[in-house]
Amino acid sequence: MAQVLSLHAAERRQLAAWACDAYPHEACGLMLGVSEADGVRVLEVRRARNLNVERARDRYDIDPADYLAAEREATARGCELVGVWHTHPDHPARPSPTDLALAWPGWSYVIAAVTAAGMTELRAWRLNGGHQFDEESIEEADPS
Amino acid sequence: MSHIVIRIPTPLRGHTAGADEVPVEARSVGEALARLGELHPGILERVLDGDGQPRQFVNIFLGSGNVRALDGMNTPVRDGDVLAIIPAVAGGGHESGGCKTESPSGTDYRA
């Protein structure tokens, strides 16, 4: 059964805004949330610095200092880092071979496709036991 | 010996029965990680390479400092220090081909 990634509309809008802000470069960041029986519930999306300035149009490499700050925030809030998000400028929201090669198990990977007109697609993926991506279903979280 | 805590990232908590931190006693970063490996077999293979150094896709931070910029595995630790294992988080959208890299799972990958 496909896992579910629960995301508030406000967080989705935030991702779209960052995707447009960074375009034509990639934007990236981390997601704080909680693991549940059927997936993860995202509480907050955070933007991170992309250290790969040489290939910022098609690669991302999250600053470890931003990772550390996000992890500390998660610990303080009693939640955890549940995944990673990044954008694919002018490219579908499917994991690339590079995404697959560099992915870690146990995290949701949210990918936003973005063009000059804005975010066109948002999909989520998670590694399975065979180190392949399975798609997760993105559901809009209850606004409460 | 100093009492420190090692922070375990989410992707490696399968090796620590879900624990997000592991307390150890050690005098250096290398000793602390060795103790972690004794307590939780299998985790060090994901963190260190065959020479006992942080793998390409792993950073080790002592407080807010990357141990690569300190004294590496010989970096001394003090009571209350927090040692964080930080997985490199990277990827990308397009493929130009021809590059070869090591994946976090340890297998070579040719794009």
Side-chain angles (χ1 to χ4, degrees):
Chain A
M1 186 179 73
Q3 295 279 287
V4 174
L5 183 133
S6 173
L7 187 70
H8 286 283
E11 303 301 313
R12 186 186 184 101
R13 287 194 297 271
Q14 180 65 80
L15 290 179
W18 284 331
C20 291
D21 177 61
Y23 183 87
H25 293 158
E26 292 203 4
C28 56
L30 297 156
M31 301 186 297
L32 279 62
V34 293
S35 296
E36 300 182 325
D38 61 347
V40 297
R41 180 161 50 94
V42 176
L43 300 176
E44 181 187 347
V45 291
R46 292 172 66 111
R47 191 174 181 177
R49 285 166 289 194
N50 182 4
L51 293 183
N52 197 333
V53 294
E54 292 182 355
R55 293 190 59 176
R57 293 174 71 103
D58 64 357
R59 290 287 186 273
Y60 75 95
D61 184 1
I62 287 180
D63 188 331
D66 289 339
Y67 175 96
L68 197 57
E71 187 188 69
R72 286 173 175 164
E73 172 70 14
T75 301
R77 293 173 56 173
C79 58
E80 62 181 327
L81 294 182
V82 293
V84 179
W85 67 270
H86 75 284
T87 62
H88 281 182
D90 301 315
H91 197 69
R94 291 196 303 271
S96 68
T98 302
D99 289 330
L100 178 62
L102 301 181
W104 292 87
W107 270 342
S108 293
Y109 283 82
V110 167
I111 302 176
V114 58
T115 69
M119 189 173 80
T120 58
E121 191 180 23
L122 189 70
R123 298 171 75 176
W125 309 84
R126 176 179 292 264
L127 281 184
N128 61 30
H131 203 83
Q132 298 297 312
F133 275 115
D134 291 332
E135 185 163 12
E136 293 183 313
S137 171
I138 298 180
E139 290 187 355
E140 186 171 322
D142 188 324
S144 62
Chain B
M1 287 287 193
S2 300
H3 297 264
I4 74 164
V5 164
I6 302 177
R7 294 284 308 170
I8 310 298
T10 314
L12 297 185
R13 290 178 192 168
H15 294 280
T16 60
D20 60 359
E21 60 182 38
V22 175
V24 299
E25 290 185 22
R27 286 169 293 206
S28 66
V29 169
E31 279 190 14
L33 292 175
R35 183 67 182 134
L36 174 67
E38 293 168 5
L39 293 169
H40 299 287
I43 194 170
L44 282 194
E45 286 80 352
R46 307 294 304 277
V47 176
L48 303 178
D49 62 20
D51 296 326
Q53 299 302 310
R55 292 175 66 108
Q56 181 182 358
F57 291 100
V58 173
N59 290 295
I60 309 291
F61 271 57
L62 181 63
S64 298
N66 191 328
V67 300
R68 285 191 174 99
L70 300 173
D71 197 15
M73 294 296 105
N74 296 321
T75 303
V77 297
R78 296 182 297 185
D79 275 334
D81 278 348
V82 176
L83 193 65
I85 299 170
I86 299 179
V89 185
H94 305 274
E95 300 312 314
S96 56
C99 68
K100 183 179 182 183
T101 185
E102 178 196 20
S103 79
S105 59
T107 55
D108 283 344
Y109 170 74
R110 189 179 295 276

